[in-house]
Amino acid sequence: MTTNPIPKDKSINNHHNHSKTILPAFPEKPTLGFLAAHFVSFLLLAICVKSCFGFGANVETALAFYGTYHRDPFNQLIHFVGVPVILWTLLVATASLVLPGSLILKIPGIAPHYFSMATLWALLYATFYPCVDLVGAILFSPLLYMFYATAVQWTASDQAIAAAARESKDKAPSWMGTGKLLRLSCLFHFLSWYVQIHPGHRILEGASPAALANLGGALVAAPLFAFYEGVWFVGLRQGLHARIQELIAEYTANLCSQGAAMRVCESL
């Protein structure tokens, strides 16, 4: 990953070449909505960073924490699909939240773009996962790269369409682009949360989601846990799976002894 100054005259002005368009810079007069979106994203990111330190450099602790709240096979399947959708739509929704400065990123296979909140989110996972599990991080990295690359490219395309339309009407560009991509990403993001919380936890699991116990911990551990569900399903890293299951049993017993409202406690 390298950074280079962006000339002032390079802007989104060619809707015929969306994939090569650089995302808009931080606006000179940011709107209240733009600043509010930055604040919310920064706040969530800070919560996640704090949780990373809580897990330490132990992948078993992180995965067992999340696995304790996801014991039902059907709920695990819901999360196997829903968690990646949440991560990807988070990157899409924050790719247009560029940070102050005049630097752009040049990453192989991705159009040059400004450092944004999506970059910070991707860096969080790209930094934390190798610290707790190098093998898992290596296996997960192509998926993270794909999510980030498509988020940037789709956002750049959406911004280019919006810029072309506004230029013809002599209007200032909006950080939301056309608004269509942002609305779709938010729709799928919150729909994925709902499917996991209500059918997954309330009905199938009979327990509160991990996010209520530790929001940051759930956000940083969930993508790796969902990914490992697929790894374990195909028979890989079974030793790690066995250790995680032992810790899940231990954590569950502790929670049940403390009076946690979990359906599994009824059988202990």
Side-chain angles (χ1 to χ4, degrees):
M1 180 184 299
T2 60
T3 58
N4 288 304
I6 178 172
K8 296 297 182 181
D9 61 348
K10 283 192 176 181
S11 59
I12 295 182
N13 56 15
N14 184 356
H15 65 280
H16 297 295
N17 198 8
H18 297 163
S19 63
K20 295 183 180 180
T21 303
I22 297 172
L23 297 176
F26 193 90
E28 294 183 3
K29 296 181 180 180
T31 63
L32 181 61
F34 183 73
L35 295 177
H38 272 79
F39 175 77
V40 172
S41 187
F42 266 119
L43 181 61
L44 286 175
L45 190 66
I47 293 173
C48 289
V49 170
K50 180 181 178 182
S51 296
C52 289
F53 286 104
F55 287 134
N58 192 329
V59 67
E60 296 176 9
T61 301
L63 295 182
F65 155 75
Y66 195 77
T68 301
Y69 296 85
H70 304 84
R71 302 171 64 97
D72 184 89
F74 290 104
N75 188 32
Q76 291 173 357
L77 180 60
I78 289 174
H79 283 68
F80 180 74
V81 176
V83 168
V85 172
I86 286 176
L87 175 57
W88 181 68
T89 53
L90 173 65
L91 295 177
V92 172
T94 56
S96 59
L97 298 178
V98 296
L99 301 178
S102 58
L103 299 179
I104 60 173
L105 301 175
K106 289 187 177 180
I107 303 174
I110 306 177
H113 58 284
Y114 280 101
F115 199 100
S116 67
M117 288 304 306
T119 312
L120 286 180
W121 279 105
L123 285 175
L124 170 68
Y125 293 102
T127 303
F128 175 62
Y129 286 172
C131 291
V132 296
D133 182 23
L134 183 58
V135 175
I138 293 173
L139 295 174
F140 184 78
S141 59
L143 188 63
L144 180 61
Y145 173 87
M146 182 185 71
F147 285 172
Y148 182 74
T150 54
V152 169
Q153 301 287 50
W154 286 26
T155 301
S157 178
D158 181 74
Q159 292 280 358
I161 295 172
R166 287 176 174 271
E167 185 179 354
S168 64
K169 298 178 181 179
D170 196 24
K171 292 184 178 180
S174 169
W175 68 273
M176 294 187 293
T178 65
K180 294 179 181 179
L181 181 63
L182 182 61
R183 287 192 294 271
L184 279 175
S185 63
C186 289
L187 173 64
F188 281 101
H189 185 86
F190 290 111
L191 180 62
S192 295
W193 274 107
Y194 169 76
V195 171
Q196 292 176 73
I197 292 174
H198 190 257
H201 285 281
R202 185 177 179 86
I203 297 177
L204 296 174
E205 204 78 50
S208 300
L212 293 183
N214 185 341
L215 176 59
L219 287 174
V220 295
L224 189 60
F225 184 87
F227 177 75
Y228 261 124
E229 287 290 343
V231 171
W232 293 329
F233 181 79
V234 298
L236 300 177
R237 304 214 70 185
Q238 291 302 303
L240 175 63
H241 189 206
R243 294 193 298 274
I244 296 300
Q245 292 302 312
E246 292 176 1
L247 280 176
I248 288 176
E250 178 183 335
Y251 291 174
T252 302
N254 290 336
L255 286 173
C256 291
S257 66
Q258 296 170 13
M262 301 174 69
R263 184 172 298 145
V264 68
C265 295
E266 299 173 1
S267 59
L268 294 180

